[in-house]
DNA sequence: GGATATTCAAACGT
DNA sequence: CACGTTTGAATATC
């Protein structure tokens, strides 16, 4: 288009093989918890000293006492092993939300305080009725029983670890997404505020599906600097920050018979006039004094959280800091980054704008921790153009084929870029005649998510639109039917999440010693559609082990946590192999990992008049910006198939792939 | 132990 | 869309 003299197709660029077998980049090293500073409390702990990073504080109750409080069937430590057959798995009907569960609960627990319903005393029932008909017990049961991550009889202990924290976060989000989906499918007549996050959090707390439930100073096992959250409840469930709203979390410690509150974590997210400019410092405002319903601004008092911060200043203990920011990609929501440990350097009393007293605390970040909030700030600068992203080789390797540019960066060595390939946005593959039911053609006028109970596309997906808002998939299914050209609904219908090319800002980057990889500048929620695997469909030969191959006939691990409904297997009813060597999209740069943060999902929709199949890639869990995106490329079943040695480095590494 | 006060939510309406 | 309103739920404290 611009200078036509060049015979070179602009979409053709350099190409070097992605090294799929190499170690993925994690947002933070796993050994972060070995604090550079000695823990100030170790010397005074009655049971100390402990190894660095271990903070076994039980100020009020022993672990046993806390465990005893759990009476639910799923985490009860009473039975050494619970045979799976003693549980009834959900039936294959599309609607599995209304089933009774008395047999399961009854056989495992005495029935006292089954689900801790948290009765609302209010008589109107308006808000409470929002979720009244959603059987969260059955949903959670399906999730727990189908999980491959933790044995169901493993106690989610008061002191967590990497696995339990991951488990809790995954369960929370899939439950929350399912509740959202069920809410979305109802008539949109109810105007009450819906809070699937609170509902999911409350249900899981009631069932003991939480971890690190004892408060502690310093690092929280299984939660790493740079971890990302979308709801306060998520942080509560993993023991990072307990209060559901308050910004300061604190605990009382007993020293020489003196009880004293100390702060353990704070959330800074714009509720007060904090100074958050410098990623190494934080000026944090004390709590209270704000305008509330029918109350004026008042002086803050040195009580509760403020008192705890003051005591922490004098004790010098580490305090976890969570930085909440507005997500520019979705300005209505917030993202929370766990930014690691800080100490308070000084405090003072200020006069706020209204003339009332506001306490201020200067937090200083302990050096040597991985970047978290600092990374986010850098990306904001790249996006606004105030700072240029370093190492850019090509500003857009799609050459405009995507609406959003994908830059090619190398901050590591002298490689100039991958070898030639042609950028295409989508896979072009028609479903074999008779292999599947054809997709539907709905006539929804107002979007297919809410209130369109008659949507025939939703009917194809078991009665529900498979996506909630923002292109977030509720759960993996064998196949998803999207709305498309033959539907009445608009292009913004949420049942078209995989269409229209990239929606996230991505970059292809040079890894340190691992070839090229793909990652995002954006905060990605679990379940989000990332991209499809584009390329040339080759159905004739399967079992290929070349690079740039996606092979649906390989064996894939199930998701660690899912809703547990039948039909979420990955096998397709016909063989599809995609070769992205000569033609492809960003997906061809995605490296393999046995602990991948993406999964694939088959999607059917019309392209013109032909039902076409697409391979969508979705986020397994929240993915912080600049974390490498990885996919499990599966296993070839035949015994003598050539295999590639895997060095993904995860504890679950199989040692090979393909 | 139950009830209450406190609180840097999250959604939605204007 | 910035701001106000509404409905919240965990926890500490009374």
């Amino acid at each position: 288009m611009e200078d036509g003299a060049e015979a070179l197709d602009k979409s053709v660029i350099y190409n070097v093989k992605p090294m799929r077998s190499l170690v993925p980049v994690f947002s933070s090293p796993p050994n972060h918890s070995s604090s550079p500073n000695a823990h100030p409390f170790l010397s005074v702990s009655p049971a100390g000293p402990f190894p660095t990073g271990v903070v076994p504080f039980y100020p009020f109750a022993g672990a046993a006492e806390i465990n005893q409080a759990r009476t639910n069937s799923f985490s009860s430590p009473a039975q050494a092993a619970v045979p799976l057959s003693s549980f009834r798995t959900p039936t294959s009907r599309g609607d599995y939300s209304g089933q009774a569960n008395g047999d399961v609960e009854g056989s495992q627990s005495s029935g006292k305080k089954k689900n801790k319903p948290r009765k609302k005393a209010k008589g109107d029932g308006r808000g409470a009725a929002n979720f009244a008909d959603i059987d969260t017990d059955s949903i959670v049961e399906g999730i727990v029983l189908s999980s491959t991550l933790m044995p169901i009889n493993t106690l989610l202990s008061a002191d967590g670890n990497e696995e339990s924290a991951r488990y809790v976060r995954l369960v929370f989000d899939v439950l929350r997404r399912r509740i959202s989906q069920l809410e979305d499918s109802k008539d949109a007549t109810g105007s009450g505020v819906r809070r699937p996050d609170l509902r999911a959090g409350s249900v899981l707390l009631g069932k003991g599906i939480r971890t690190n439930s004892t408060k502690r100073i310093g690092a929280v096992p299984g939660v790493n600097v740079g971890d990302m959250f979308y709801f306060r409840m998520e942080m509560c469930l993993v023991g990072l920050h307990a209060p559901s709203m308050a910004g300061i979390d604190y605990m009382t410690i007993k020293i020489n018979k003196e009880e004293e509150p100390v702060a353990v974590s704070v959330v800074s997210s714009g509720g007060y006039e904090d100074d958050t400019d410098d990623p190494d410092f934080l000026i944090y405002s004390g709590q209270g004094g704000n305008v509330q319903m029918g109350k004026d601004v008042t002086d803050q008092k040195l009580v509760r959280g403020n008192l705890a911060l003051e005591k922490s200043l004098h004790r010098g203990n580490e305090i976890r800091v969570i930085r909440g920011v507005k997500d520019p990609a979705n300005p209505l929501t917030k993202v929370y980054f766990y930014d690691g440990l800080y100490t308070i350097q000084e405090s003072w009393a200020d006069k706020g704008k209204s003339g009332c007293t506001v306490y201020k605390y200067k937090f200083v970040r302990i050096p040597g921790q991985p970047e978290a909030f600092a990374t986010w700030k850098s990306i904001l600068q790249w996006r606004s153009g105030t700072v240029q992203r370093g190492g850019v080789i090509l500003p857009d390797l799609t050459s405009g084929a995507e609406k959003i540019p994908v830059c090619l960066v190398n901050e590591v060595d002298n490689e100039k870029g991958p070898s030639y390939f042609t950028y295409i946005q989508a896979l072009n593959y028609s479903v074999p005649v008779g292999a599947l039911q054809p997709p539907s053609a709905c006539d929804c006028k107002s979007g297919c998510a809410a209130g369109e109970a008659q949507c025939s596309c939703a009917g194809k997906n078991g009665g529900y639109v498979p996506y909630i808002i923002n292109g977030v998939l509720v759960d993996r299914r064998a196949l998803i039917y999207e709305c498309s050209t033959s539907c009445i609904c608009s292009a913004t219908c949420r049942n078209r999440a995989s269409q229209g090319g990239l929606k996230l800002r991505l970059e292809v980057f040079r890894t340190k010693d691992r070839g090229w990889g793909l990652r995002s500048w954006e905060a990605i929620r679990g379940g989000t559609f990332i991209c499809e695997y584009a390329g040339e469909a080759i159905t004739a030969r399967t079992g290929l082990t070349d690079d740039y191959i996606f092979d649906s006939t390989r064996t894939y691990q199930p998701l660690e946590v899912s809703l547990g409904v039948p039909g979420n297997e990955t096998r397709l009813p016909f063989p599809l192999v995609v070769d992205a060597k000569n033609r492809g999209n960003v997906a061809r740069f995605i490296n393999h990992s046995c602990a991948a943060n993406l999964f694939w999902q088959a999607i059917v929709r019309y392209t013109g008049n032909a039902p076409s199949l697409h391979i969508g890639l979705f986020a397994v869990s929240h993915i912080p910006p600049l974390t490498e995106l990885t996919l499990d490329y599966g296993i070839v079943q035949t015994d003598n198939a050539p295999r590639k040695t895997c060095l993904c480095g995860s504890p679950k590494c199989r040692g090979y792939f393909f």
Side-chain angles (χ1 to χ4, degrees):
Chain A
M1 297 187 215
E2 33 175 7
D3 13 73
E6 193 73 272
L8 188 75
D9 184 342
K10 285 203 321 180
S11 65
V12 171
I13 62 160
Y14 290 109
N15 183 20
V16 156
K17 284 182 183 179
M19 299 180 67
R20 286 175 169 178
S21 60
L22 293 165
V23 183
V25 177
F26 295 108
S27 60
S28 59
N31 62 343
H32 75 286
S33 60
S34 50
S35 163
N37 293 3
H39 196 286
F41 280 93
L42 287 180
S43 56
V44 295
S45 165
F50 294 95
T52 314
V54 176
V55 190
F57 251 114
Y58 300 98
F60 301 124
E65 186 182 337
I66 284 157
N67 295 339
Q68 196 185 359
R70 301 209 183 86
T71 56
N72 73 86
S73 61
F74 298 130
S75 67
S76 168
Q79 294 83 7
V82 181
L84 280 171
S85 57
S86 71
F87 291 87
R88 181 169 54 81
T89 48
T91 66
S92 60
R93 291 185 300 126
D95 182 355
Y96 42 87
S97 67
Q99 297 175 8
N101 62 324
D103 52 348
V104 175
E105 287 281 341
S107 66
Q108 292 298 317
S109 69
S110 56
K112 58 170 182 181
K113 188 180 149 189
K114 261 166 78 172
N115 190 18
K116 202 157 82 168
R118 281 172 206 288
K119 267 245 176 330
K120 298 174 64 116
K122 299 186 177 177
D124 64 359
R126 222 162 19 97
N130 272 338
F131 300 110
D133 55 337
I134 295 180
D135 185 353
T136 51
D137 279 359
S138 290
I139 302 172
V140 175
E141 181 188 320
I143 294 170
V144 170
L145 293 182
S146 66
S147 174
T148 65
L149 186 57
M150 285 186 91
I152 59 171
N153 59 338
T154 297
L155 184 68
L156 297 174
S157 71
D159 287 303
N161 53 37
E162 202 75 39
E163 188 181 48
S164 62
R166 176 172 173 76
Y167 175 81
V168 168
R169 277 181 275 196
L170 288 169
V171 172
F172 170 84
D173 211 44
V174 74
L175 173 61
R176 185 192 64 82
R177 297 194 306 252
R178 176 61 175 156
I179 294 172
S180 291
Q181 179 186 46
L182 291 168
E183 278 293 314
D184 287 347
S185 71
K186 288 188 199 167
D187 286 347
T189 51
S191 63
V193 175
R194 291 162 182 172
R195 295 291 299 270
D197 58 320
L198 293 184
R199 174 70 168 181
S202 170
V203 165
L204 295 184
L205 286 171
K207 288 183 179 301
I209 301 181
R210 64 187 302 184
T211 189
N212 298 311
S213 55
T214 51
K215 286 196 181 185
R216 69 203 63 220
I217 293 160
V220 174
V223 181
N224 297 319
V225 177
D227 281 0
M228 206 170 70
F229 303 85
Y230 281 90
F231 296 95
R232 293 287 299 262
M233 272 298 190
E234 293 183 283
M235 298 187 265
C236 176
L237 285 167
V238 297
L240 182 64
H241 187 85
S244 59
M245 289 181 66
I248 305 167
D249 193 7
Y250 59 99
M251 63 190 282
T252 305
I253 61 169
K254 201 181 287 185
I255 292 173
N256 298 334
K257 296 176 184 172
E258 294 274 318
E259 290 200 338
E260 195 167 87
V262 290
V264 295
S265 60
V266 297
V267 177
S268 169
S269 57
Y272 293 75
E273 288 176 2
D274 297 345
D275 186 343
T276 61
D277 282 344
D278 192 321
D280 292 324
F281 301 94
L282 169 66
I283 309 298
Y284 191 82
S285 305
Q287 64 188 183
N290 262 352
V291 279
Q292 288 173 346
M293 295 265 288
K295 286 183 181 174
D296 289 333
V297 186
T298 58
D299 286 340
Q300 289 187 348
K301 295 190 180 65
L302 204 56
V303 295
R304 282 186 287 276
N306 298 344
L307 182 61
L309 291 175
E310 200 62 39
K311 298 289 186 185
S312 286
L313 162 63
H314 293 116
R315 294 218 156 268
N317 67 291
E318 298 166 336
I319 301 172
R320 300 184 293 273
V321 169
I322 297 107
R323 306 254 201 170
V325 297
K326 228 184 227 177
D327 186 354
N330 198 8
L332 294 175
T333 67
K334 267 180 190 165
V335 190
Y336 299 95
F337 292 101
Y338 173 45
D339 200 38
L341 302 176
Y342 286 61
T343 53
I344 302 177
Q345 192 177 65
E346 55 176 317
S347 72
W348 62 94
D350 232 350
K351 287 291 178 194
K353 279 182 179 169
S354 55
C356 293
T357 303
V358 176
Y359 290 104
K360 299 280 189 176
Y361 300 88
K362 182 174 184 184
F363 281 65
V364 182
R365 195 167 193 255
I366 293 173
Q369 304 179 91
E371 273 195 6
F373 181 63
T375 301
W376 177 256
K377 293 217 82 165
S378 295
I379 294 172
L380 287 182
Q381 292 175 324
W382 302 344
R383 295 183 78 125
S384 68
T386 52
V387 173
Q388 247 205 333
R389 203 251 182 282
V392 174
I393 299 170
L394 261 182
D396 179 21
L397 63 74
T398 82
S399 304
E402 301 280 5
K403 292 190 207 93
I404 297 176
V406 178
C407 61
L408 177 70
V409 296
N410 187 349
E411 299 178 289
V412 171
D413 56 29
N414 291 322
E415 281 290 329
K416 290 296 181 223
S419 58
Y420 294 120
F421 78 101
T422 303
Y423 196 98
I424 57 173
Q425 215 181 13
L427 175 68
N428 185 10
Y429 175 70
S430 292
V431 174
V433 177
L436 298 171
Q437 292 178 15
S440 184
C442 74
D443 54 1
C444 304
K445 293 168 194 70
S446 60
C448 300
E452 294 281 1
Q454 310 307 319
C455 175
S456 55
C457 295
K460 281 283 183 186
N461 294 299
Y464 299 98
V465 175
Y467 301 106
I468 55 173
I469 200 157
N470 296 328
V472 170
L473 183 67
V474 173
D475 191 26
R476 171 188 260 173
R477 305 187 70 95
L479 212 53
I480 280 176
Y481 292 90
E482 286 195 354
C483 294
S484 49
T485 50
S486 48
C487 298
I488 303 281
C489 60
S490 74
T492 58
C493 164
R494 75 177 61 176
N495 195 27
R496 299 167 179 250
S498 77
Q499 303 170 36
L502 298 183
K503 297 178 179 68
L504 300 171
R505 190 76 158 83
L506 302 173
E507 71 173 27
V508 172
F509 73 109
R510 188 73 178 168
T511 61
K512 278 208 176 78
D513 49 356
R514 311 153 203 171
W516 301 97
L518 185 69
R519 61 188 181 186
S520 176
W521 288 13
E522 303 195 33
I524 300 174
R525 306 169 88 110
T528 301
F529 171 75
I530 309 292
C531 63
E532 68 169 280
Y533 199 100
E536 298 173 289
I538 44 174
T539 53
R541 300 173 299 154
T542 61
L544 293 174
T545 56
D546 300 339
D547 289 322
Y548 308 113
I549 294 289
F550 170 83
D551 184 347
S552 70
T553 70
R554 291 175 190 154
T555 298
Y556 293 89
Q557 304 292 317
L559 291 182
E560 291 172 315
V561 170
S562 72
L563 286 174
V565 299
N568 63 355
E569 64 275 359
T570 55
R571 234 4 117 188
L572 289 177
F574 47 85
L576 170 67
V577 179
V578 181
D579 182 356
K581 184 173 166 81
N582 298 317
R583 296 158 63 79
N585 68 345
V586 288
R588 71 198 292 283
F589 294 105
I590 295 172
N591 288 322
H592 169 87
S593 170
C594 298
N597 52 22
L598 305 184
F599 67 92
W600 66 272
Q601 165 70 61
I603 300 166
V604 178
R605 60 175 191 250
Y606 279 113
T607 301
N609 291 325
S612 61
L613 186 74
H614 300 266
I615 303 299
L617 305 185
F618 294 81
V620 172
S621 55
H622 305 330
I623 305 174
L626 295 195
T627 302
E628 181 169 9
L629 305 177
T630 57
L631 181 67
D632 188 336
Y633 280 93
I635 305 166
V636 175
Q637 275 309 79
T638 49
D639 287 340
N640 55 355
R643 288 169 164 174
K644 297 213 167 188
T645 303
C646 181
L647 304 170
C648 77
S650 92
K652 304 206 166 176
C653 180
R654 299 188 295 265
Y656 64 91
F657 64 109
F658 285 6

